[in-house]
Amino acid sequence: MVVLVTTSTLATFGIDLTSRPSLRLVLNTIMLQGVTFGGLALLYLKVRDLDYEFVQISVPDTRDVVVTVVGTITLLGLLFAASTIISLLGIESAQNQIMEAGQNNPEVFLLLVPLSFLVVGPGEELLYRGIVQGTLQETLNPARAVVLASALFASIHLFSLSGEGKFVYIGITFLLALVLGAAYVYTENLAVPAVIHGTYNAVQFAGAYLTATGGI
């Protein structure tokens, strides 16, 4: 809804996003993961009259840095393993619509690399780990909270997928989300899963750009 309103507003000033897919994708990313997710998190804290400390975040210490590095390697390793297994078994996996858009406009991937760190990672982790998982942990043990929050996070991606094998994609996303949730529980610092998430996405987008442009 926020994206539609913004698109309509820009159209009144003669800016047609339908003919500028790169700008449209960047705007969608900023408005959804940044403005919408961040706004929902702040609204939740306001409605429940919670302090900002409800979301545990601080400057990373040495342990946090180590967990961030290990977590990032783990995510990329899981992605590689899952992709290999899917290929060997001949199973199809759906594709995120962002990847489809980028294949026709590779420069989009370059724009998404910094946005992964600045908007996507922080925005999604704030909402799903900071708010959703944090709320679940008020009544559930951490392990169950991580599983339920990860299941919700994975299921939301269904709306951004195209092609066959959507549940394969959702299953992989669920496994990756478990790592992010566990990192948050272990470090009690949202900055850790946010950086892991951002780095994971950035590596994927950088790789997609090189593939689309024949760089590799």
Side-chain angles (χ1 to χ4, degrees), residues 56-89:
Q56 300 171 307
I57 186 168
S58 60
V59 176
D61 57 20
T62 302
R63 185 190 67 165
D64 294 338
V65 172
V66 172
V67 173
T68 299
V69 173
V70 173
T72 301
I73 294 173
T74 300
L75 285 195
L76 294 173
L78 285 174
L79 178 63
F80 177 78
S83 299
T84 301
I85 293 173
I86 288 173
S87 178
L88 291 175
L89 296 178

Side-chain angles (χ1 to χ4, degrees), residues 121-206:
E124 293 191 356
E125 292 309 303
L126 172 61
L127 182 60
Y128 290 101
R129 248 57 66 181
I131 298 298
V132 175
Q133 185 173 307
T135 299
L136 290 172
Q137 283 186 214
E138 291 181 313
T139 54
L140 300 174
N141 65 54
R144 291 184 178 181
V146 168
V147 171
L148 289 178
S150 298
L152 177 60
F153 175 78
S155 63
I156 290 297
H157 285 74
L158 184 64
F159 301 102
S160 63
L161 302 178
S162 61
E164 299 295 329
K166 292 182 179 180
F167 289 105
V168 174
Y169 186 103
I170 294 300
I172 295 173
T173 303
F174 172 70
L175 291 177
L176 301 178
L178 290 177
V179 176
L180 295 171
Y184 184 44
V185 170
Y186 181 71
T187 62
E188 297 183 340
N189 187 356
L190 190 68
V192 173
V195 174
I196 294 174
H197 192 154
T199 305
Y200 169 80
N201 281 8
V203 170
Q204 279 195 296
F205 291 136

Side-chain angles (χ1 to χ4, degrees), residues 48-126:
R48 287 197 57 192
D49 195 25
L50 296 171
D51 294 330
Y52 292 124
E53 285 76 14
F54 178 81
V55 177
Q56 300 171 307
I57 186 168
S58 60
V59 176
D61 57 20
T62 302
R63 185 190 67 165
D64 294 338
V65 172
V66 172
V67 173
T68 299
V69 173
V70 173
T72 301
I73 294 173
T74 300
L75 285 195
L76 294 173
L78 285 174
L79 178 63
F80 177 78
S83 299
T84 301
I85 293 173
I86 288 173
S87 178
L88 291 175
L89 296 178
I91 301 173
E92 286 191 52
S93 178
Q95 188 172 42
N96 193 296
Q97 293 173 5
I98 291 179
M99 289 298 184
E100 287 189 344
Q103 288 172 358
N104 296 322
N105 303 275
E107 69 277 4
V108 166
F109 292 131
L110 292 181
L111 295 173
L112 288 172
V113 169
L115 287 179
S116 295
F117 293 105
L118 299 174
V119 179
V120 180
E124 293 191 356
E125 292 309 303
L126 172 61

Side-chain angles (χ1 to χ4, degrees), residues 26-40:
V26 169
L27 177 65
N28 286 350
T29 301
I30 294 174
M31 296 305 295
L32 179 60
Q33 279 95 335
V35 176
T36 303
F37 284 7
L40 287 173

